[in-house]
Amino acid sequence: MSTRSSIEWTETTWNPTTGCDRISAGCDNCYALALAKRLKAMGSAKYQTDGDPRTSGPGFGVMTHAASLAEPFRWREPRLVFVNSMSDLFHAKIPLEFIQRVFDVMASTPRHTYQILTKRALRLRRIADKLTWPENVWIGTSVESQDVVRRIDDLAHIPAAVRFLSCEPLIGPLHDVNLDRIDWVIVGGESGANARPVEERWVIDIRDQCAQAGVPFFFKQWGGRTPKAGGRLLEGRTWDEMPNRSQLVATPAGRI
């Protein structure tokens, strides 16, 4: 089932797939992996398949959930929907046919706006021409450090109405980010027992790059032991900039 989300930049989470594998340093303290272990112990049906212990964990094996595809049709009021907070839709183990079904649901429910975030921007780029791209679908990639900035180039080739970066957990500086085809940037520090600290100068540098490029900037958190431990103020204020709100309710488009 979907859940109302405490994530500051969305309203609802929807998980037609669950499970994942760690692929970069940003995954080291994955909240979803830890949560999946707890959900398995609680008997949650979606989290009874274990992943490879070298890259995943208990309850975090990659699974598709056809029954969950019907959920957005039941939401009458428009929602801002984070797709797969507990997975990566473009994981290699998720069949293209199922990804297409997810996109068809999004195209058929234009009253909602969908936010998809992936670390697998290369696969996304390779299959983008096989997907429906309605204008109510926003697509983003995680860029936690300079080591993975190549994901931005892959994202730039995707024909989405909104392309965004999630620099969370930010674990290093990002210099001279190419924002030419980027519509939104989210930045956040890591949270949890093993949270790696974020430096203020890293955040300010990204904010200033966004300002120069005219890209909306959203600062989610400093992080710490809990997501809200360090608050959200950057130089005395909150930064809640979003893409143009007129894009939140759009109409379906065709295949590219």
Side-chain angles (χ1 to χ4, degrees):
M1 296 179 63
S2 71
T3 58
R4 291 291 179 175
S5 176
S6 62
I7 299 171
E8 288 81 357
W9 47 263
T10 197
E11 296 172 350
T12 296
T13 58
W14 173 46
N15 285 288
T17 74
T18 54
C20 200
D21 290 275
R22 289 170 286 192
I23 60 168
S24 65
C27 305
D28 287 352
N29 299 314
C30 178
Y31 76 90
L33 189 154
L35 179 56
K37 181 178 180 180
R38 295 198 296 271
L39 290 170
K40 177 182 179 177
M42 294 167 59
S44 179
K46 280 188 173 182
Y47 302 94
Q48 296 306 307
T49 299
D50 295 343
D52 186 329
R54 296 170 297 180
T55 57
S56 185
F60 211 47
V62 176
M63 298 288 292
T64 61
H65 305 286
S68 295
L69 294 175
E71 290 175 12
F73 294 99
R74 297 195 286 265
W75 307 332
R76 294 189 177 185
E77 297 299 321
R79 297 187 183 188
L80 195 57
V81 183
F82 179 20
V83 181
N84 283 348
S85 62
M86 295 294 292
S87 185
D88 188 326
L89 187 60
F90 302 102
H91 192 289
K93 293 181 180 178
I94 298 176
L96 173 61
E97 181 272 338
F98 192 83
I99 298 172
Q100 289 171 330
R101 292 177 69 186
V102 172
F103 270 70
D104 288 343
V105 169
M106 296 187 292
S108 298
T109 51
R111 62 188 176 277
H112 307 311
T113 296
Y114 296 92
Q115 302 160 307
I116 308 173
L117 183 59
T118 184
K119 287 185 172 70
R120 293 163 173 84
L122 179 58
R123 187 191 183 201
L124 166 62
R125 181 176 177 179
R126 287 172 173 168
I127 66 173
D129 63 345
K130 299 177 176 64
L131 301 173
T132 298
W133 285 98
E135 295 202 9
N136 62 329
V137 172
W138 299 5
I139 193 79
T141 193
S142 299
V143 186
E144 66 264 27
S145 71
Q146 202 73 31
D147 293 339
V148 294
V149 292
R150 64 188 179 278
R151 295 173 184 165
I152 301 175
D153 181 61
D154 291 324
L155 180 69
H157 288 80
I158 306 306
V162 171
R163 290 174 291 269
F164 67 96
L165 306 182
S166 175
C167 306
E168 184 188 5
L170 186 64
I171 57 175
L174 293 173
H175 302 301
D176 301 320
V177 179
N178 184 355
L179 297 173
D180 288 346
R181 289 174 58 80
I182 303 302
D183 304 293
W184 189 30
V185 175
I186 303 164
V187 175
E190 192 167 46
S191 60
N194 301 308
R196 291 161 286 187
V198 60
E199 296 191 18
E200 183 179 29
R201 60 187 175 89
W202 301 345
V203 180
I204 291 173
D205 183 39
I206 297 171
R207 182 206 59 191
D208 291 349
Q209 291 181 62
C210 289
Q212 185 172 2
V215 175
F217 172 81
F218 192 107
F219 183 55
K220 180 173 176 284
Q221 64 186 41
W222 288 107
R225 180 74 184 183
T226 67
K228 301 185 185 300
R232 300 187 58 224
L233 294 181
L234 173 63
E235 295 194 322
R237 57 161 286 191
T238 56
W239 298 80
D240 289 337
E241 296 171 355
M242 298 277 287
N244 190 333
R245 295 298 289 185
S246 67
Q247 294 170 300
L248 288 177
V249 180
T251 56
R255 291 187 186 273
I256 61 170

